[in-house]
Amino acid sequence: MPKNTQNDNSILLVSGSEQFDAGIKAALPERGLSSYDRRKTATLARRALLDKHYDLIIINAPLPDEIGYDLALDLAEDHGCSIVI
């Protein structure tokens, strides 16, 4: 799967908390970000990763449908991205 260029980063936030999402989004730089997507559950995050590569995945555990650690382990094994939990 092709990676994005260094100046063109994509981020997936997996979080059931809109308040957490707002804090993360405010902390991100305005430049150098090609996409910022949010999914509320691990299931939806796994589906998003079928269609798109992300450079960074942020998981706000626990998630509504699982704790989040299994998602992080699955992603670490199957995708070439950085993961923050």
Side-chain angles (χ1 to χ4, degrees):
M1 194 172 290
K3 288 194 171 198
N4 296 330
T5 65
Q6 289 181 346
N7 296 325
D8 193 22
N9 297 305
S10 59
I11 295 175
L12 175 63
L13 173 64
V14 187
S15 174
S17 168
E18 298 209 15
Q19 188 174 25
F20 182 83
D21 178 35
I24 292 294
K25 198 167 187 179
L28 294 174
E30 293 182 23
R31 292 184 166 182
L33 191 60
S34 66
S35 70
Y36 174 82
D37 298 326
R38 177 176 181 247
R39 299 295 183 269
K40 292 183 178 186
T41 66
T43 302
L44 294 174
R46 285 184 176 97
R47 285 185 196 158
L49 286 158
L50 293 173
D51 297 327
K52 185 173 180 180
H53 170 80
Y54 292 94
D55 299 297
L56 175 63
I57 300 173
I58 302 169
I59 303 170
N60 179 26
L63 299 169
D65 60 343
E66 67 177 64
I67 293 177
Y69 299 116
D70 289 335
L71 175 63
L73 291 172
D74 291 345
L75 298 178
E77 289 178 11
D78 297 335
H79 299 277
C81 62
S82 298
I83 302 166
V84 177
I85 186 168

